[in-house]
Amino acid sequence: MNKMITVKDNSLSLEAFGLISRMINIPENDYATEEDFFTLFKNDSVQTIQNALSELTEKNYLIFVNGKTYAVNKFKLPQIKLV
């Protein structure tokens, strides 16, 4: 059975939780632009994705690099749990 890395933070919205979980568990998705997320999550609205990115950035799970790329904040990893 594959282990999954998850965030133990009940203050995250479901959308933010799903986005950070995807980024952490799929290595090629640990950094991406907003447009990449729109392509990955076609069933979600632009506003939903933008809200999740904002929430994760505000809570320091993501950092904004070079004015267009979101990356997982590796310093936050100790707060993330393997389940």
Side-chain angles (χ1 to χ4, degrees):
M1 186 161 106
N2 291 339
K3 295 279 185 179
M4 183 176 162
I5 301 170
T6 189
V7 175
K8 292 289 277 182
D9 184 345
N10 293 332
S11 72
L12 289 177
S13 67
L14 183 59
E15 292 84 3
F17 178 82
L19 183 61
I20 193 65
S21 294
R22 169 102 183 223
M23 291 180 77
I24 292 168
N25 286 290
I26 302 174
E28 61 270 14
N29 287 341
D30 74 342
Y31 64 92
T33 65
E34 198 172 74
E35 291 77 23
D36 294 332
F37 292 116
F38 298 152
T39 301
L40 280 172
F41 301 106
K42 292 179 184 176
N43 292 331
D44 293 299
S45 71
V46 168
Q47 189 64 50
T48 297
I49 295 167
Q50 289 173 330
N51 289 346
L53 290 169
S54 292
E55 180 180 349
L56 291 167
T57 302
E58 287 171 13
K59 294 184 178 184
N60 294 314
Y61 285 101
L62 296 181
I63 55 175
F64 199 51
V65 183
N66 297 329
K68 70 176 202 169
T69 302
Y70 291 89
V72 173
N73 182 357
K74 306 292 188 198
F75 292 109
K76 197 82 167 167
L77 289 179
Q79 298 176 20
I80 297 171
K81 183 180 179 181
L82 184 66
V83 292

